[in-house]
Amino acid sequence: MSTTLTQPELSLQLLNQWVDLGWLRPLDKAFADFLWQLDPSVSGLTLIASALVSFQVSRGHICLDLAGTLDNPNFALALEEHPYSASPEHKQLLPNLQLQGISLIELQHCLRQSSCVSSATQATAEHKPLVLAGSFLYLRRYWDYEQSVIRHLEQRLMPIDQPENQLRQALNQLFPKQNHSDWQKVACAIAARRRFSIITGGPGTGKTTTVVRLLALLQAEALTKGELLRIRLAAPTGKAAARLTESISQQVQALPVSAEIKNAIPCEVSTLHRLLGSRPNTRHFKHHQDNPLSLDVLVIDEASMIDLDMMHSVLSALPLSAKLILLGDKDQLASVEAGAVLGDLCQNAEQGLYTAETLAWLEQVTEQKLVEIQPSTAGNALSQHIVMLRYSRRFGEDSGIGQLAKAVNTQDLHSIKVLWNQKFNDISQCSINDTTDAEFKTLVLNGLNESAQGYSYYLQELINTRPNRNETNWVVYEDWARHVLNAFDRFQLLCAVRKGAFGVEQLNQQISTWLHQHKLTDAADGWFEGRPVIITRNDYSLGLMNGDIGIALRVPYLQQGVVQQSSDPFKLRVVFPKNDGQGGLHFILPSRLSHFESVFAMTVHKSQGSEFAHTALILPNQKNPVLTKELVYTAITRAQTHFTLVESNKNVFKEAIKTQVNRLSGLKDIFSHKNAIH
């Protein structure tokens, strides 16, 4: 075995070289230094593994796959993401551990001997920085999170006694009979019988409709007993919370139930951070295992955005007696932070791996034959708690958006080519040489037509609907601000990357300059009326959450609810929607905002939980590791009425579709290996 990999000093020198090349973060090297300080006799191989496992977390993985690292060290260091010199000295630095004669058994043995590493069986009793579980190496914190999530979910994998006749009657009242399998009805039945359930499905499949009817069913049952369920609704971001608040408010009014039941269903949706009670500048929350949430039912929308840390926090704070219902699209991008919890749990959702017992019960209580699936012997306990909604009511057979999203999700390049050639009215391509092309400028500023607007639309609406300067009724200014915010949602440019000509940072400045040149704004830099901004970090003092979008508007000075008259009463305020279910607004001085950026362009990750009438995705002109089918799918499904693909290199789109996110985690493997059926 190479001495570099046994002697700690030489391994630390190697890690320094990797940091200099950009293959590792300084933080990863600092973690290895920390372990060396804890135990100067630690092996060099353990230090290299520790730096690599730290780096994996930054890439969204929960752990380091030791076998995979030995087979392909370049993947562990993500070298495909970093152009590096092919000079001989750099080639010598490549961590080709396999060629240096290390086997998986030797690597595992080396780690087990380390005073810094616990085995999975001893991890509870010991408090060492690393945990070795088979061929996976974890940072201790993420091992604890994963075990916590598994433990809490296992406690919930038991059906609740539910009178079948009563449930059948309630389902028939809420769901009219259909000619095909009603998966919304199935989802409602499963969630009514479980303390934990997942309802997944693509856009327009009715996740919100289903959960509103479920809440009506549960609340009606409670009211017959003289009780009232404490129901809370939450989402990962402020934008997702605001959208769900609006959607649920509309759905509740359309329910075929009494006013008493409607009034018992909450419409206000909070962010998860607000729900749990964030403690500023810490990772901790007010609510936890020793101070649980006071509720009976918790519904979380956009669950694909929940990372492992947050899922651990939610489950720890949730009373075991309470129901947890997760809503989300399993095929969307996973969270920015480590973990892909919804994707891991829903890996078999499409197959519908229900046992004969579960399937028979479902067909009995829903009074329908589920022709799409057959009884399965492969289903585990978790599979009986998951339902995938299969029919989109937003995107029909004539919808290019719906068919394009499906083809991208199944990586069907042939169907994608056919779809572009069919000239659907709601999807389009824009081929450019670079981002200064006139065609791209026209798309961003003016859009394609009345149903596919650009940014000039909301700015013209800002001007055309502005209240008279003599207006003294503050309500008029609030209505105007809401109108401008809604008009801004008519178009959004999405980017795959932050840096470079095709990235968020440069495009935000470029678009701002274009709008100023066309006299749609009075400045191109700094604060100007009409500037849209997105909050990038929670600000509890202002009541703003990461992802909230606001627009700078000139409004009069308000004191004690009265518009004040002065020589120049109109000042810029940034207007943000409140997540209060009442259409409330925040009017905030720009000087009070600390963490924000312009949002003419935003990353696809930031767009999750949002919808825009017209969405355009601009791809970089060369292959990039962040380009995956999940990213493209998420961008497409942000569009309500029109999607435009902007590209300068057609091969980039094809390569993105071929690439699938694969986040390493023990969650999917653990649940897939559990055979107990409940």
Side-chain angles (χ1 to χ4, degrees), residues 271-552:
T271 63
L272 285 172
H273 284 83
R274 280 194 178 117
L275 173 77
L276 295 175
S278 291
R279 297 189 183 278
N281 303 318
T282 77
R283 200 180 275 119
H284 304 295
F285 296 99
K286 173 185 174 183
H287 292 287
H288 45 74
Q289 186 169 338
D290 297 324
N291 182 31
L293 293 160
S294 297
L295 51 76
D296 301 302
V297 180
L298 175 60
V299 176
I300 303 178
D301 194 21
E302 298 292 349
S304 62
M305 300 168 66
I306 302 176
D307 58 76
L308 183 67
D309 185 350
M310 178 57 77
M311 185 61 76
H312 151 74
S313 298
V314 169
L315 289 169
S316 297
L318 195 65
L320 186 58
S321 59
K323 277 183 178 291
L324 174 62
I325 301 145
L326 301 181
L327 308 178
D329 187 343
K330 68 179 181 63
D331 298 314
Q332 279 190 29
L333 278 170
S335 63
V336 176
E337 304 299 330
V341 178
L342 190 74
D344 287 347
L345 298 179
C346 292
Q347 58 183 319
N348 297 318
E350 198 154 0
Q351 293 95 308
L353 300 181
Y354 300 128
T355 64
E357 179 186 354
T358 298
L359 196 56
W361 179 83
L362 281 171
E363 292 182 343
Q364 185 174 1
V365 296
T366 63
E367 295 185 331
Q368 59 182 0
K369 183 72 174 175
L370 301 178
V371 296
E372 294 89 344
I373 57 176
Q374 298 295 322
S376 172
T377 57
N380 55 26
L382 179 65
S383 301
Q384 317 310 301
H385 294 245
I386 300 171
V387 181
M388 180 170 174
L389 305 181
R390 299 161 190 267
Y391 304 111
S392 176
R393 289 155 175 81
R394 183 189 307 168
F395 303 127
E397 291 299 318
D398 59 343
S399 166
I401 294 176
Q403 294 190 49
L404 181 62
K406 181 178 180 181
V408 165
N409 200 27
T410 57
Q411 300 175 295
D412 188 345
L413 289 171
H414 174 72
S415 293
I416 291 171
K417 182 178 180 180
V418 171
L419 287 170
W420 289 130
N421 292 332
Q422 286 181 338
K423 306 296 182 184
F424 283 92
N425 292 327
D426 60 347
I427 57 174
S428 56
Q429 289 174 292
C430 177
S431 296
I432 61 174
N433 293 316
D434 57 51
T435 56
T436 62
D437 278 14
E439 186 178 359
F440 176 61
K441 181 178 179 180
T442 299
L443 170 73
V444 171
L445 267 57
N446 302 320
L448 302 172
N449 48 53
E450 288 188 4
S451 63
Q453 304 280 359
Y455 284 128
S456 64
Y457 173 77
Y458 91 92
L459 290 168
Q460 288 167 347
E461 286 296 295
L462 183 159
I463 296 167
N464 295 338
T465 63
R466 184 196 304 278
N468 187 293
R469 277 187 70 90
N470 297 323
E471 179 61 61
T472 59
N473 186 352
W474 180 250
V475 174
V476 174
Y477 291 100
E478 288 186 318
D479 290 342
W480 172 59
R482 289 189 196 93
H483 178 76
V484 175
L485 286 166
N486 290 334
F488 180 74
D489 283 346
R490 296 294 300 170
F491 175 69
Q492 183 63 57
L493 178 67
L494 302 180
C495 302
V497 296
R498 290 194 59 83
K499 305 289 185 180
F502 296 85
V504 165
E505 295 175 3
Q506 190 165 322
L507 284 170
N508 266 317
Q509 184 57 59
Q510 182 173 305
I511 294 168
S512 183
T513 300
W514 282 344
L515 293 169
H516 179 53
Q517 290 172 345
H518 284 255
K519 303 187 185 308
L520 288 164
T521 61
D522 54 17
D525 298 296
W527 283 105
F528 53 85
E529 186 171 44
R531 180 187 179 185
V533 296
I534 185 168
I535 299 300
T536 57
R537 188 181 298 179
N538 294 343
D539 189 330
Y540 301 99
S541 64
L542 296 177
L544 298 177
M545 294 291 113
N546 185 5
D548 286 352
I549 292 177
I551 296 177

